Amino acid sequence: MNDAAPTLFEYDREGLAAHPAAYSENYLFTHKRAPLRPLHAVKPSLTELTGPSFGPEVLNECDDDLTRQHEDDPIGERIIVGGRVLDEDGRGMPGMLLEIWQANGAGRYAHEVDRHDAPLDPNFTGRGRVLTDATGHYRFVTIKPGAYPVGGLDNVWRPSHIHLSLFGPSFLSRLVTQMYFPGDPLLPFDTILNTAPPHSRHMMIASLDRAATRSEWALAYRFDIVLRGRRAGAHREHTRDG
Ligand SMILES: [Fe+2]
């Protein structure tokens, strides 16, 4: 690589420092999916750098309100979740697709492999989608998910959490993450949260957003999401830790 200023098509690998390692002894699923050999960098093609992109055509009615996808109201605490999707320079990212999945209020997924002894809710599927607006904001309504035990392990429980997947502007900014709730007593024991470096764990915990709370209807939580972005310039490498 020469010393010229980075092109628009470079992604900063340092940005991965906030992410969990691919392998964690305490996060059992990583034992099977972590690479066994060192990664080999492949120069991305235009296909990976420019897509995929999504528009309103991918959304169905009530995708942004998981409490209104069935005939009746689901059981549980209705909540509003919102925030901004940002690049590494703090700029809002419009048109980003967030895919949402979560357990119901009793801590049970509407999925055939979930054998947790908790009730399914016929009025809650736990899946949604939402696009960010022109300034990177998103918002959806759902039920606060319950904690659930991890099958096959002795008294291991997951804190309440919402799964989120974002593609960002390209495959290289893809992020699959989880949103946790502030003050949850299970947070210190969650092996998945604790896989992330200590300095970045707080970024996965939402904050109570009193301004967005709707009186006599639902509490609101704020959760901003930072995606990897294209390098703004070589100087960024010297300011990253500042
Ligand atoms: Fe989960």
Side-chain angles (χ1 to χ4, degrees):
M1 182 182 287
N2 60 42
D3 293 331
T7 70
L8 286 176
F9 294 143
E10 287 188 74
Y11 276 75
D12 189 347
R13 292 180 62 83
E14 288 183 37
L16 295 174
H19 290 254
Y23 176 88
S24 170
E25 186 168 353
N26 294 325
Y27 185 178
L28 298 181
F29 286 124
T30 68
H31 296 191
K32 291 184 177 177
R33 65 188 181 206
L36 297 174
R37 299 179 184 177
L39 296 181
H40 178 70
V42 176
K43 190 171 179 58
S45 70
L46 206 56
T47 301
E48 288 90 36
L49 293 166
T50 58
S53 61
F54 303 94
E57 70 278 359
V58 304
L59 301 178
N60 297 307
E61 190 179 357
C62 297
D63 271 357
D64 64 346
D65 189 341
L66 286 70
T67 70
R68 298 176 61 85
Q69 296 175 346
H70 297 275
E71 194 169 334
D72 290 317
D73 293 333
I75 302 292
E77 179 190 347
R78 184 193 300 118
I79 58 171
I80 301 163
V81 178
R84 290 183 81 197
V85 177
L86 306 161
D87 68 14
E88 289 176 310
D89 296 312
R91 293 174 294 213
M93 303 181 77
M96 297 295 108
L97 178 70
L98 284 81
E99 295 179 288
I100 304 147
W101 68 99
Q102 62 165 92
N104 67 23
R108 175 86 183 263
Y109 285 94
H111 193 282
E112 60 187 12
V113 302
D114 189 344
R115 304 284 85 176
H116 176 33
D117 183 19
L120 286 167
D121 186 337
N123 293 306
F124 191 78
T125 305
R127 291 191 287 272
R129 285 175 148 190
V130 63
L131 283 169
T132 59
D133 67 13
T135 56
H137 283 92
Y138 72 91
R139 178 186 183 276
F140 62 91
V141 176
T142 188
I143 292 293
K144 186 175 181 180
Y148 61 80
V150 180
L153 297 178
D154 182 28
N155 207 21
V156 175
W157 291 73
R158 299 285 336 272
S160 296
H161 61 277
I162 296 175
H163 295 268
L164 295 162
S165 167
L166 299 90
F167 278 97
S170 80
F171 274 120
L172 298 186
S173 54
R174 180 97 201 276
L175 177 69
V176 179
T177 189
Q178 301 183 24
M179 184 198 105
Y180 296 88
F181 291 84
D184 192 319
L186 290 170
L187 290 177
F189 311 105
D190 188 60
T191 53
I192 296 179
L193 177 64
N194 289 329
T195 300
H199 72 275
S200 63
R201 288 174 197 162
H202 71 280
M203 291 193 285
M204 288 189 282
I205 303 171
S207 57
L208 181 67
D209 187 352
R210 288 197 43 144
T213 289
R214 207 169 121 190
S215 178
E216 300 186 24
W217 196 73
L219 288 176
Y221 291 90
R222 174 145 189 138
F223 190 62
D224 291 341
I225 301 165
V226 180
L227 298 181
R228 297 175 69 200
R230 293 175 179 178
R231 279 179 172 173
H235 67 281
R236 175 140 184 77
E237 292 188 60
H238 304 295
T239 60
R240 182 165 303 282
D241 297 328

Tab-separated table of all heavy atoms in Angstrom, residues 162-208:
chain	number	residue	atom	x	y	z
A	162	ILE	N	-32.952	-7.016	22.987
A	162	ILE	CA	-33.545	-7.007	21.643
A	162	ILE	C	-32.421	-7.198	20.638
A	162	ILE	O	-31.401	-6.503	20.690
A	162	ILE	CB	-34.286	-5.681	21.380
A	162	ILE	CG1	-35.467	-5.537	22.356
A	162	ILE	CG2	-34.767	-5.604	19.932
A	162	ILE	CD1	-36.199	-4.208	22.250
A	163	HIS	N	-32.580	-8.158	19.730
A	163	HIS	CA	-31.587	-8.390	18.684
A	163	HIS	C	-31.819	-7.408	17.541
A	163	HIS	O	-32.964	-7.137	17.157
A	163	HIS	CB	-31.710	-9.814	18.137
A	163	HIS	CG	-31.381	-10.874	19.139
A	163	HIS	ND1	-30.119	-11.407	19.277
A	163	HIS	CD2	-32.148	-11.498	20.062
A	163	HIS	CE1	-30.126	-12.327	20.227
A	163	HIS	NE2	-31.346	-12.399	20.729
A	164	LEU	N	-30.729	-6.915	16.996
A	164	LEU	CA	-30.800	-5.965	15.885
A	164	LEU	C	-29.779	-6.335	14.818
A	164	LEU	O	-28.644	-6.730	15.143
A	164	LEU	CB	-30.507	-4.542	16.377
A	164	LEU	CG	-31.518	-3.944	17.358
A	164	LEU	CD1	-30.898	-2.752	18.083
A	164	LEU	CD2	-32.778	-3.519	16.635
A	165	SER	N	-30.173	-6.195	13.580
A	165	SER	CA	-29.260	-6.412	12.463
A	165	SER	C	-29.337	-5.221	11.524
A	165	SER	O	-30.432	-4.763	11.186
A	165	SER	CB	-29.646	-7.697	11.721
A	165	SER	OG	-28.980	-7.771	10.469
A	166	LEU	N	-28.181	-4.711	11.119
A	166	LEU	CA	-28.133	-3.608	10.163
A	166	LEU	C	-27.098	-3.923	9.093
A	166	LEU	O	-26.033	-4.470	9.390
A	166	LEU	CB	-27.707	-2.297	10.842
A	166	LEU	CG	-28.580	-1.742	11.963
A	166	LEU	CD1	-28.155	-2.278	13.307
A	166	LEU	CD2	-28.503	-0.219	11.965
A	167	PHE	N	-27.416	-3.570	7.867
A	167	PHE	CA	-26.428	-3.717	6.812
A	167	PHE	C	-25.569	-2.468	6.682
A	167	PHE	O	-24.402	-2.537	6.335
A	167	PHE	CB	-27.115	-4.002	5.470
A	167	PHE	CG	-27.483	-5.444	5.309
A	167	PHE	CD1	-28.766	-5.880	5.591
A	167	PHE	CD2	-26.539	-6.362	4.922
A	167	PHE	CE1	-29.110	-7.208	5.459
A	167	PHE	CE2	-26.876	-7.704	4.788
A	167	PHE	CZ	-28.162	-8.122	5.054
A	168	GLY	N	-26.155	-1.283	6.951
A	168	GLY	CA	-25.421	-0.064	6.682
A	168	GLY	C	-25.329	0.164	5.190
A	168	GLY	O	-26.057	-0.443	4.411
A	169	PRO	N	-24.412	1.019	4.768
A	169	PRO	CA	-24.329	1.331	3.338
A	169	PRO	C	-23.683	0.224	2.514
A	169	PRO	O	-23.720	0.267	1.294
A	169	PRO	CB	-23.470	2.601	3.306
A	169	PRO	CG	-22.671	2.542	4.561
A	169	PRO	CD	-23.531	1.853	5.583
A	170	SER	N	-23.070	-0.769	3.166
A	170	SER	CA	-22.415	-1.838	2.405
A	170	SER	C	-22.252	-3.063	3.293
A	170	SER	O	-22.463	-3.010	4.499
A	170	SER	CB	-21.041	-1.384	1.908
A	170	SER	OG	-20.089	-1.489	2.945
A	171	PHE	N	-21.838	-4.149	2.695
A	171	PHE	CA	-21.600	-5.364	3.475
A	171	PHE	C	-20.515	-5.145	4.530
A	171	PHE	O	-20.513	-5.776	5.590
A	171	PHE	CB	-21.183	-6.507	2.552
A	171	PHE	CG	-22.342	-7.254	1.956
A	171	PHE	CD1	-22.514	-7.314	0.594
A	171	PHE	CD2	-23.275	-7.877	2.765
A	171	PHE	CE1	-23.586	-7.996	0.032
A	171	PHE	CE2	-24.353	-8.562	2.223
A	171	PHE	CZ	-24.510	-8.613	0.852
A	172	LEU	N	-19.574	-4.250	4.264
A	172	LEU	CA	-18.470	-4.051	5.202
A	172	LEU	C	-18.897	-3.315	6.462
A	172	LEU	O	-18.160	-3.294	7.441
A	172	LEU	CB	-17.325	-3.298	4.511
A	172	LEU	CG	-16.708	-4.035	3.318
A	172	LEU	CD1	-15.493	-3.278	2.804
A	172	LEU	CD2	-16.306	-5.452	3.695
A	173	SER	N	-20.050	-2.699	6.441
A	173	SER	CA	-20.529	-2.022	7.653
A	173	SER	C	-21.614	-2.838	8.346
A	173	SER	O	-22.260	-2.362	9.268
A	173	SER	CB	-21.062	-0.624	7.304
A	173	SER	OG	-22.038	-0.695	6.286
A	174	ARG	N	-21.787	-4.074	7.944
A	174	ARG	CA	-22.825	-4.926	8.537
A	174	ARG	C	-22.602	-5.048	10.043
A	174	ARG	O	-21.481	-5.262	10.515
A	174	ARG	CB	-22.772	-6.324	7.913
A	174	ARG	CG	-23.811	-7.284	8.477
A	174	ARG	CD	-25.039	-7.346	7.595
A	174	ARG	NE	-26.220	-7.842	8.288
A	174	ARG	CZ	-26.510	-9.138	8.463
A	174	ARG	NH1	-25.717	-10.048	7.973
A	174	ARG	NH2	-27.601	-9.507	9.106
A	175	LEU	N	-23.674	-4.937	10.790
A	175	LEU	CA	-23.584	-5.061	12.249
A	175	LEU	C	-24.765	-5.873	12.754
A	175	LEU	O	-25.920	-5.569	12.446
A	175	LEU	CB	-23.603	-3.677	12.915
A	175	LEU	CG	-23.591	-3.689	14.446
A	175	LEU	CD1	-22.246	-4.188	14.989
A	175	LEU	CD2	-23.885	-2.299	15.009
A	176	VAL	N	-24.476	-6.911	13.530
A	176	VAL	CA	-25.500	-7.663	14.242
A	176	VAL	C	-25.206	-7.464	15.719
A	176	VAL	O	-24.101	-7.768	16.186
A	176	VAL	CB	-25.474	-9.159	13.882
A	176	VAL	CG1	-26.539	-9.915	14.657
A	176	VAL	CG2	-25.683	-9.340	12.374
A	177	THR	N	-26.164	-6.926	16.452
A	177	THR	CA	-25.889	-6.578	17.840
A	177	THR	C	-27.125	-6.813	18.703
A	177	THR	O	-28.140	-7.320	18.229
A	177	THR	CB	-25.414	-5.107	17.933
A	177	THR	OG1	-24.944	-4.839	19.252
A	177	THR	CG2	-26.524	-4.136	17.568
A	178	GLN	N	-27.013	-6.484	19.965
A	178	GLN	CA	-28.128	-6.623	20.890
A	178	GLN	C	-28.248	-5.351	21.705
A	178	GLN	O	-27.241	-4.724	22.036
A	178	GLN	CB	-27.904	-7.823	21.826
A	178	GLN	CG	-27.753	-9.135	21.072
A	178	GLN	CD	-27.613	-10.337	21.996
A	178	GLN	OE1	-28.037	-10.319	23.145
A	178	GLN	NE2	-27.025	-11.395	21.463
A	179	MET	N	-29.487	-5.009	22.019
A	179	MET	CA	-29.760	-3.857	22.874
A	179	MET	C	-30.214	-4.352	24.233
A	179	MET	O	-31.159	-5.138	24.328
A	179	MET	CB	-30.861	-2.989	22.250
A	179	MET	CG	-31.145	-1.716	23.026
A	179	MET	SD	-32.754	-0.966	22.610
A	179	MET	CE	-33.701	-1.435	24.077
A	180	TYR	N	-29.527	-3.903	25.268
A	180	TYR	CA	-29.888	-4.276	26.641
A	180	TYR	C	-30.593	-3.111	27.331
A	180	TYR	O	-30.588	-1.978	26.832
A	180	TYR	CB	-28.627	-4.648	27.425
A	180	TYR	CG	-27.906	-5.868	26.904
A	180	TYR	CD1	-26.945	-5.760	25.902
A	180	TYR	CD2	-28.183	-7.127	27.420
A	180	TYR	CE1	-26.275	-6.886	25.429
A	180	TYR	CE2	-27.518	-8.249	26.955
A	180	TYR	CZ	-26.558	-8.121	25.965
A	180	TYR	OH	-25.904	-9.237	25.500
A	181	PHE	N	-31.145	-3.388	28.517
A	181	PHE	CA	-31.906	-2.377	29.253
A	181	PHE	C	-31.122	-1.931	30.491
A	181	PHE	O	-30.514	-2.760	31.180
A	181	PHE	CB	-33.270	-2.930	29.648
A	181	PHE	CG	-34.175	-3.128	28.468
A	181	PHE	CD1	-34.094	-4.284	27.700
A	181	PHE	CD2	-35.074	-2.140	28.089
A	181	PHE	CE1	-34.907	-4.460	26.588
A	181	PHE	CE2	-35.892	-2.306	26.976
A	181	PHE	CZ	-35.805	-3.467	26.227
A	182	PRO	N	-31.166	-0.614	30.766
A	182	PRO	CA	-30.389	-0.104	31.895
A	182	PRO	C	-30.892	-0.657	33.219
A	182	PRO	O	-32.097	-0.849	33.412
A	182	PRO	CB	-30.615	1.413	31.806
A	182	PRO	CG	-31.913	1.564	31.070
A	182	PRO	CD	-31.971	0.426	30.101
A	183	GLY	N	-29.967	-0.929	34.126
A	183	GLY	CA	-30.325	-1.379	35.470
A	183	GLY	C	-30.699	-2.833	35.575
A	183	GLY	O	-31.106	-3.298	36.655
A	184	ASP	N	-30.557	-3.597	34.512
A	184	ASP	CA	-30.921	-5.020	34.559
A	184	ASP	C	-29.913	-5.762	35.454
A	184	ASP	O	-28.701	-5.726	35.193
A	184	ASP	CB	-30.885	-5.593	33.138
A	184	ASP	CG	-31.515	-6.977	33.046
A	184	ASP	OD1	-31.286	-7.793	33.965
A	184	ASP	OD2	-32.219	-7.238	32.053
A	185	PRO	N	-30.392	-6.446	36.497
A	185	PRO	CA	-29.447	-7.108	37.423
A	185	PRO	C	-28.688	-8.269	36.794
A	185	PRO	O	-27.707	-8.742	37.374
A	185	PRO	CB	-30.368	-7.592	38.561
A	185	PRO	CG	-31.726	-7.681	37.956
A	185	PRO	CD	-31.791	-6.611	36.914
A	186	LEU	N	-29.128	-8.726	35.625
A	186	LEU	CA	-28.430	-9.845	34.980
A	186	LEU	C	-27.264	-9.381	34.102
A	186	LEU	O	-26.476	-10.215	33.632
A	186	LEU	CB	-29.414	-10.649	34.122
A	186	LEU	CG	-30.459	-11.471	34.895
A	186	LEU	CD1	-31.513	-12.019	33.941
A	186	LEU	CD2	-29.788	-12.619	35.646
A	187	LEU	N	-27.142	-8.091	33.866
A	187	LEU	CA	-26.094	-7.609	32.953
A	187	LEU	C	-24.679	-8.064	33.342
A	187	LEU	O	-23.912	-8.510	32.481
A	187	LEU	CB	-26.134	-6.078	32.845
A	187	LEU	CG	-27.330	-5.476	32.096
A	187	LEU	CD1	-27.262	-3.950	32.143
A	187	LEU	CD2	-27.360	-5.956	30.655
A	188	PRO	N	-24.300	-7.994	34.623
A	188	PRO	CA	-22.914	-8.368	34.958
A	188	PRO	C	-22.604	-9.837	34.688
A	188	PRO	O	-21.430	-10.211	34.624
A	188	PRO	CB	-22.816	-8.063	36.463
A	188	PRO	CG	-23.938	-7.132	36.749
A	188	PRO	CD	-25.028	-7.492	35.797
A	189	PHE	N	-23.647	-10.658	34.517
A	189	PHE	CA	-23.417	-12.096	34.358
A	189	PHE	C	-23.598	-12.570	32.919
A	189	PHE	O	-23.483	-13.756	32.647
A	189	PHE	CB	-24.391	-12.873	35.260
A	189	PHE	CG	-24.413	-12.371	36.671
A	189	PHE	CD1	-25.476	-11.600	37.142
A	189	PHE	CD2	-23.349	-12.637	37.525
A	189	PHE	CE1	-25.486	-11.117	38.443
A	189	PHE	CE2	-23.353	-12.155	38.823
A	189	PHE	CZ	-24.422	-11.398	39.282
A	190	ASP	N	-23.906	-11.648	32.016
A	190	ASP	CA	-24.209	-12.061	30.642
A	190	ASP	C	-22.915	-12.313	29.866
A	190	ASP	O	-22.132	-11.389	29.619
A	190	ASP	CB	-25.043	-10.989	29.942
A	190	ASP	CG	-25.541	-11.471	28.588
A	190	ASP	OD1	-26.268	-12.485	28.561
A	190	ASP	OD2	-25.181	-10.865	27.564
A	191	THR	N	-22.724	-13.559	29.476
A	191	THR	CA	-21.457	-13.900	28.826
A	191	THR	C	-21.335	-13.234	27.457
A	191	THR	O	-20.219	-12.985	26.988
A	191	THR	CB	-21.322	-15.428	28.650
A	191	THR	OG1	-22.487	-15.922	27.983
A	191	THR	CG2	-21.182	-16.111	29.984
A	192	ILE	N	-22.461	-12.957	26.805
A	192	ILE	CA	-22.384	-12.324	25.484
A	192	ILE	C	-21.996	-10.852	25.628
A	192	ILE	O	-21.080	-10.366	24.960
A	192	ILE	CB	-23.711	-12.503	24.730
A	192	ILE	CG1	-23.935	-14.005	24.475
A	192	ILE	CG2	-23.698	-11.723	23.420
A	192	ILE	CD1	-25.227	-14.337	23.765
A	193	LEU	N	-22.664	-10.124	26.512
A	193	LEU	CA	-22.280	-8.722	26.743
A	193	LEU	C	-20.818	-8.640	27.184
A	193	LEU	O	-20.060	-7.786	26.733
A	193	LEU	CB	-23.184	-8.104	27.807
A	193	LEU	CG	-22.864	-6.659	28.199
A	193	LEU	CD1	-23.052	-5.706	27.026
A	193	LEU	CD2	-23.710	-6.212	29.385
A	194	ASN	N	-20.406	-9.552	28.040
A	194	ASN	CA	-19.055	-9.493	28.579
A	194	ASN	C	-17.987	-9.950	27.581
A	194	ASN	O	-16.792	-9.837	27.859
A	194	ASN	CB	-18.954	-10.318	29.860
A	194	ASN	CG	-19.700	-9.654	30.996
A	194	ASN	OD1	-19.782	-8.428	31.047
A	194	ASN	ND2	-20.269	-10.443	31.887
A	195	THR	N	-18.416	-10.443	26.428
A	195	THR	CA	-17.455	-10.759	25.380
A	195	THR	C	-16.919	-9.485	24.736
A	195	THR	O	-15.796	-9.457	24.227
A	195	THR	CB	-18.135	-11.642	24.306
A	195	THR	OG1	-18.589	-12.836	24.939
A	195	THR	CG2	-17.174	-12.012	23.205
A	196	ALA	N	-17.725	-8.421	24.755
A	196	ALA	CA	-17.274	-7.148	24.192
A	196	ALA	C	-16.191	-6.548	25.083
A	196	ALA	O	-16.180	-6.770	26.298
A	196	ALA	CB	-18.448	-6.188	24.070
A	197	PRO	N	-15.262	-5.787	24.522
A	197	PRO	CA	-14.245	-5.123	25.349
A	197	PRO	C	-14.920	-4.236	26.403
A	197	PRO	O	-15.947	-3.620	26.114
A	197	PRO	CB	-13.463	-4.285	24.331
A	197	PRO	CG	-13.720	-4.932	23.007
A	197	PRO	CD	-15.099	-5.505	23.091
A	198	PRO	N	-14.365	-4.158	27.615
A	198	PRO	CA	-15.021	-3.398	28.691
A	198	PRO	C	-15.388	-1.976	28.302
A	198	PRO	O	-16.455	-1.478	28.690
A	198	PRO	CB	-13.977	-3.417	29.819
A	198	PRO	CG	-13.206	-4.672	29.575
A	198	PRO	CD	-13.144	-4.833	28.078
A	199	HIS	N	-14.553	-1.315	27.509
A	199	HIS	CA	-14.808	0.093	27.189
A	199	HIS	C	-15.998	0.268	26.243
A	199	HIS	O	-16.480	1.391	26.075
A	199	HIS	CB	-13.567	0.741	26.576
A	199	HIS	CG	-13.270	0.288	25.175
A	199	HIS	ND1	-12.548	-0.854	24.910
A	199	HIS	CD2	-13.619	0.801	23.979
A	199	HIS	CE1	-12.458	-1.009	23.595
A	199	HIS	NE2	-13.096	-0.026	23.014
A	200	SER	N	-16.453	-0.802	25.632
A	200	SER	CA	-17.540	-0.628	24.663
A	200	SER	C	-18.848	-1.270	25.114
A	200	SER	O	-19.857	-1.146	24.424
A	200	SER	CB	-17.126	-1.194	23.299
A	200	SER	OG	-16.891	-2.582	23.375
A	201	ARG	N	-18.856	-1.939	26.266
A	201	ARG	CA	-20.097	-2.622	26.691
A	201	ARG	C	-21.244	-1.647	26.900
A	201	ARG	O	-22.400	-1.958	26.609
A	201	ARG	CB	-19.836	-3.410	27.984
A	201	ARG	CG	-18.982	-4.631	27.745
A	201	ARG	CD	-18.589	-5.329	29.034
A	201	ARG	NE	-17.470	-6.223	28.777
A	201	ARG	CZ	-16.663	-6.714	29.701
A	201	ARG	NH1	-16.869	-6.396	30.985
A	201	ARG	NH2	-15.673	-7.498	29.373
A	202	HIS	N	-20.945	-0.460	27.427
A	202	HIS	CA	-22.025	0.496	27.701
A	202	HIS	C	-22.765	0.887	26.430
A	202	HIS	O	-23.917	1.310	26.484
A	202	HIS	CB	-21.448	1.744	28.381
A	202	HIS	CG	-20.631	2.603	27.461
A	202	HIS	ND1	-19.327	2.310	27.149
A	202	HIS	CD2	-20.944	3.716	26.771
A	202	HIS	CE1	-18.868	3.216	26.312
A	202	HIS	NE2	-19.824	4.078	26.066
A	203	MET	N	-22.108	0.730	25.274
A	203	MET	CA	-22.753	1.125	24.018
A	203	MET	C	-23.886	0.189	23.636
A	203	MET	O	-24.693	0.504	22.763
A	203	MET	CB	-21.720	1.181	22.892
A	203	MET	CG	-20.731	2.320	23.057
A	203	MET	SD	-19.754	2.618	21.568
A	203	MET	CE	-18.621	1.246	21.606
A	204	MET	N	-23.958	-0.970	24.296
A	204	MET	CA	-25.043	-1.907	24.001
A	204	MET	C	-26.194	-1.792	25.006
A	204	MET	O	-27.140	-2.579	24.958
A	204	MET	CB	-24.507	-3.338	23.977
A	204	MET	CG	-23.653	-3.615	22.750
A	204	MET	SD	-23.246	-5.353	22.572
A	204	MET	CE	-21.950	-5.493	23.790
A	205	ILE	N	-26.108	-0.832	25.923
A	205	ILE	CA	-27.154	-0.651	26.933
A	205	ILE	C	-27.907	0.644	26.636
A	205	ILE	O	-27.322	1.726	26.600
A	205	ILE	CB	-26.546	-0.613	28.352
A	205	ILE	CG1	-25.741	-1.885	28.610
A	205	ILE	CG2	-27.645	-0.431	29.392
A	205	ILE	CD1	-24.928	-1.857	29.890
A	206	ALA	N	-29.206	0.513	26.386
A	206	ALA	CA	-30.022	1.682	26.069
A	206	ALA	C	-30.155	2.576	27.297
A	206	ALA	O	-29.816	2.186	28.423
A	206	ALA	CB	-31.398	1.215	25.596
A	207	SER	N	-30.628	3.781	27.080
A	207	SER	CA	-30.913	4.676	28.201
A	207	SER	C	-32.396	5.032	28.188
A	207	SER	O	-33.036	5.074	27.129
A	207	SER	CB	-30.063	5.948	28.113
A	207	SER	OG	-30.284	6.601	26.878
A	208	LEU	N	-32.934	5.258	29.384
A	208	LEU	CA	-34.330	5.692	29.476
A	208	LEU	C	-34.443	7.069	28.839
A	208	LEU	O	-33.661	7.972	29.147
A	208	LEU	CB	-34.760	5.743	30.950
A	208	LEU	CG	-36.209	6.150	31.199
A	208	LEU	CD1	-37.164	5.088	30.667
A	208	LEU	CD2	-36.443	6.377	32.683
